[in-house]
Amino acid sequence: MLNSSRRRWLLAGAGAIAAGTLHAAQKLIATPAQMMGPFYPDEPPLDQDNDLTSVRGARGMAQGTIAEVSGRLLDTNGNPVRATRIEIWQCDARGFYHHARDRAGPRDAAFQGFGHTVTDSDGRYRFRTIKPVTYPGRTPHIHFAVRPDFDNPFVTQLYVSGEPRNATDGLYQSIPSERRRLVTADFRPAGGILGARFDIVIGATPTT
């Protein structure tokens, strides 16, 4: 018959194993989805790499505060989602989208407005762009589309931590308060520019 100390040791070990199993079963919270918006490029620029701060054939650099946005694309099990296209688009520093349906105005010709990249073997991605600015009726944001299946993108938006307009932005406020942190990032000084980390979690790992 087991003595009391041996019994306690076995029970403690069993409890630790059960806790570890429960922890392993926990999943990441999926990034909240949001609307595509009206200004997804109607005609993507010829220059559409992951650096939106310059345009091939245009003079100078984009206006605004240069920022690098990077992170990982993961599934809810924490696995990297590899070789998957990610797109971003946003208005320029003057508040204009490069889109025919946006209001007329002096657009920044040196800002690409749209870009894409493909995640690496660890699910990582990176964009060089500008810190988002306000747009009439909207708080600053960057649109993201993840395209494991080109016809069925996962769309979300990235917001700026501490931005006062977040409190009155309908789309931001439509996200449950406990999940807003999942689409909100700090834009902090990093090597002479700003840097922001944004990990995107999608519901399932697509077949690649």
Side-chain angles (χ1 to χ4, degrees):
M1 188 172 183
L2 295 173
N3 61 39
S4 60
S5 61
R6 174 68 172 168
R7 186 180 298 110
R8 285 195 299 271
W9 182 84
L10 288 173
L11 288 173
I17 292 172
T21 302
L22 178 62
H23 178 74
Q26 290 177 341
K27 292 182 177 290
L28 299 178
I29 301 173
T31 301
Q34 295 224 278
M35 63 182 293
M36 179 76 78
F39 298 128
Y40 181 82
D42 49 351
E43 184 176 1
L46 294 176
D47 188 2
Q48 52 173 313
D49 54 14
N50 64 339
D51 184 353
L52 282 67
T53 64
S54 63
V55 175
R56 188 168 50 247
R59 299 177 61 182
M61 298 288 293
Q63 298 174 14
T65 304
I66 304 300
E68 285 197 356
V69 179
S70 61
R72 297 179 71 201
L73 179 62
L74 305 167
D75 67 19
T76 52
N77 292 315
N79 300 313
V81 182
R82 306 176 179 92
T84 298
R85 180 183 173 101
I86 298 180
E87 302 171 345
I88 67 169
W89 64 102
Q90 67 186 101
C91 66
D92 62 28
R94 300 172 178 176
F96 294 97
Y97 281 91
H98 290 209
H99 193 287
R101 290 172 54 198
D102 196 8
R103 67 201 192 286
R107 292 173 173 79
D108 181 3
F111 182 61
Q112 195 167 283
F114 171 89
H116 81 272
T117 190
V118 175
T119 57
D120 70 8
S121 61
D122 201 35
R124 294 176 299 185
Y125 75 88
R126 184 172 62 150
F127 288 98
R128 175 166 287 214
T129 184
I130 61 171
K131 183 180 179 181
V133 301
T134 189
Y135 175 82
R138 291 298 316 280
T139 194
H141 60 282
I142 301 173
H143 295 268
F144 276 73
V146 178
R147 293 188 179 273
D149 176 347
F150 197 85
D151 293 326
N152 296 285
F154 170 78
V155 177
T156 191
Q157 297 179 29
L158 175 63
Y159 298 90
V160 180
S161 179
E163 169 57 53
R165 295 176 184 84
N166 291 345
T168 56
D169 187 85
L171 283 175
Y172 186 76
Q173 291 297 315
S174 71
I175 302 169
S177 59
E178 69 275 9
R179 296 197 175 192
R180 290 174 194 154
R181 61 181 176 80
L182 302 174
V183 291
T184 309
D186 291 315
F187 283 73
R188 297 174 176 170
I193 61 173
L194 297 181
R197 172 76 183 228
F198 182 39
D199 290 339
I200 304 170
V201 179
I202 59 176
T205 303
T207 300
T208 58

